Amino acid sequence: MAELSFTQEELDEIERLKDKFPTAKAATLRVLWLAQNKYGHVKDEVQNLVAEALDVPKAHVHGVARFYTQYYKEEKGKFVLDVCTCLSCQLCGGYDILHHLEDELGIQAGETTDDGMFTVNEVECLGACGYAPMLQVTNGVYVNNLTKEKVDTLLENLKNGNMPEFESKAMPELEKRNQAASE
């Protein structure tokens, strides 16, 4: 891997981030995110760069990066499909969706397609149990109430460069309370 560095603009952003927190260590999450957006991952070399930029111990940055699954410790595909298989999603077909993706893409969970387009991961709870089964696209948009047909459409759209749109979902209990309050 070529020598890594932040641009002056990125270093200025890191200084602004450090100023927002009481200590440089507290800015670690944000700077790791900045680094991941730049490099697409936070492998050890990138974690070291973050530690240098923040002037904090490498072990601290390494520990933070290892704790959060949202930080990619290895190179991933252009689109990372995190399929939730916790209990709610599992009961509603989360594994069916995961296996359908594996079949469609010709890879297993944790792998990336040969063209570097897709990585599929099996993840624990993404916090959208009411809309199970669901997946998240590259730490961004959730795609809810999945079916195999909806997954096929998602893959085709992503291949064509079209990210799914945010799906606003109303909470049923909140709707009931709002309706009761208006009556």
Side-chain angles (χ1 to χ4, degrees):
M1 176 177 274
E3 186 166 331
L4 306 176
S5 64
F6 287 120
T7 64
Q8 186 58 50
E9 184 177 280
E10 291 162 340
L11 290 171
D12 292 343
E13 176 64 19
I14 290 168
E15 287 304 313
R16 281 191 290 278
L17 291 170
K18 287 167 59 176
D19 289 344
K20 290 183 176 182
F21 296 97
T23 66
K25 277 185 173 180
T28 303
L29 292 171
R30 298 285 303 272
V31 177
L32 275 169
W33 201 253
L34 186 150
Q36 181 163 283
N37 285 338
K38 178 174 184 167
Y39 293 106
H41 59 82
V42 291
K43 292 170 72 171
D44 288 347
E45 303 85 21
V46 176
Q47 293 171 33
N48 292 342
L49 178 66
V50 168
E52 290 172 24
L54 289 172
D55 194 26
V56 299
K58 292 176 183 175
H60 167 73
V61 174
H62 182 75
V64 171
R66 291 286 169 205
F67 181 79
Y68 292 99
T69 58
Q70 294 87 352
Y71 295 114
Y72 304 140
K73 275 66 80 179
E74 58 191 43
E75 293 183 34
K76 301 285 185 179
K78 180 177 180 181
F79 301 107
V80 179
L81 305 176
D82 290 326
V83 181
C84 183
T85 56
C86 74
L87 184 59
S88 297
C89 283
Q90 188 180 121
L91 292 173
C92 294
Y95 277 112
D96 294 336
I97 296 301
L98 177 66
H99 298 315
H100 181 70
L101 273 167
E102 291 172 331
D103 291 343
E104 290 298 312
L105 297 172
I107 58 174
Q108 297 296 306
E111 296 179 344
T112 301
T113 55
D114 289 340
D115 62 2
M117 182 72 86
F118 296 102
T119 297
V120 174
N121 292 322
E122 177 183 356
V123 299
E124 288 298 318
C125 195
L126 291 170
C129 301
Y131 317 116
M134 57 83 61
L135 63 77
Q136 184 178 29
V137 180
T138 318
N139 285 326
V141 176
Y142 281 16
V143 184
N144 305 299
N145 300 316
L146 289 171
T147 62
K148 290 177 181 177
E149 293 77 22
K150 194 170 183 178
V151 167
D152 292 342
T153 300
L154 171 68
L155 291 176
E156 198 59 37
N157 285 336
L158 291 173
K159 286 177 184 174
N160 292 322
N162 300 318
M163 285 290 287
E165 292 188 21
F166 172 76
E167 292 179 61
S168 179
K169 297 287 184 182
M171 299 297 291
E173 288 303 315
L174 181 61
E175 284 183 2
K176 287 180 188 174
R177 276 189 266 151
N178 289 342
Q179 186 176 3
S182 67
E183 294 176 349

